[in-house]
């Protein structure tokens, strides 16, 4: 019975992780497209990792970019991280139940 419950939990968490990963990938891609569209240094940065003053200033101080990165960080830590933390707690609980069942 507990293994069936565990299998169901896995499927639910896997679906949730898949959905948040899609959101994170879209947000990252949208951010890169925004930089590509508006910043002349993008090609040098993305192909050769060359980041001169204009690039550095943008990445550090552009408020729109900082807001997009903050949103991405929120999605990653609170969304993805929250799901992983909850899954780990449920796995630990299931492990304890299975161990107790085995002892009885």
């Amino acid at each position: 019975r507990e293994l069936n419950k565990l299998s169901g939990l896995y499927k639910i968490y896997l679906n949730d992780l898949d959905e948040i990963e899609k959101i994170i990938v879209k947000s990252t891609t949208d951010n890169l497209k925004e930089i590509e569209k508006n910043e002349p240094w993008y090609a040098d940065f993305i192909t050769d990792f060359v980041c001169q003053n204009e690039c550095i200033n943008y990445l550090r101080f552009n408020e729109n970019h900082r807001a997009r990165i903050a949103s991405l960080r929120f999605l990653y830590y609170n969304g993805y991280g929250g799901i992983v933390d909850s899954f780990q707690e449920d796995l630990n609980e299931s492990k304890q139940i299975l161990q107790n069942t085995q002892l009885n």
Side-chain angles (χ1 to χ4, degrees):
R1 178 173 176 238
E2 188 62 30
L3 291 176
N4 286 336
K5 178 183 167 190
L6 186 58
S7 176
L9 281 173
Y10 172 77
K11 289 175 186 175
I12 290 169
Y13 281 113
L14 183 63
N15 184 60
D16 289 349
L17 288 171
D18 185 50
E19 292 300 315
I20 197 74
E21 284 174 359
K22 288 176 187 174
I23 293 168
I24 290 170
V25 167
K26 182 175 179 352
S27 295
T28 301
T29 304
D30 289 348
N31 193 27
L32 287 173
K33 285 179 183 178
E34 183 69 23
I35 297 169
E36 177 185 26
K37 182 172 56 175
N38 295 306
E39 301 304 324
W41 47 262
Y42 176 80
D44 291 334
F45 177 69
I46 208 72
T47 56
D48 299 325
F49 300 110
V50 174
C51 190
Q52 303 295 333
N53 288 340
E54 193 175 303
C55 168
I56 292 167
N57 288 334
Y58 178 87
L59 296 175
R60 289 189 64 209
F61 302 115
N62 182 283
E63 291 302 319
N64 292 327
H65 175 70
R66 289 171 52 105
R68 289 189 303 269
I69 294 300
S71 294
L72 187 58
R73 186 177 295 138
F74 176 81
L75 287 170
Y76 180 72
Y77 286 115
N78 292 8
Y80 194 88
I83 294 168
V84 169
D85 289 344
S86 294
F87 188 34
Q88 183 176 13
E89 288 176 22
D90 284 341
L91 286 174
N92 287 333
E93 181 181 319
S94 291
K95 178 183 173 185
Q96 190 64 43
I97 290 170
L98 288 169
Q99 286 174 335
N100 288 342
T101 302
Q102 187 178 21
L103 293 175
N104 293 330

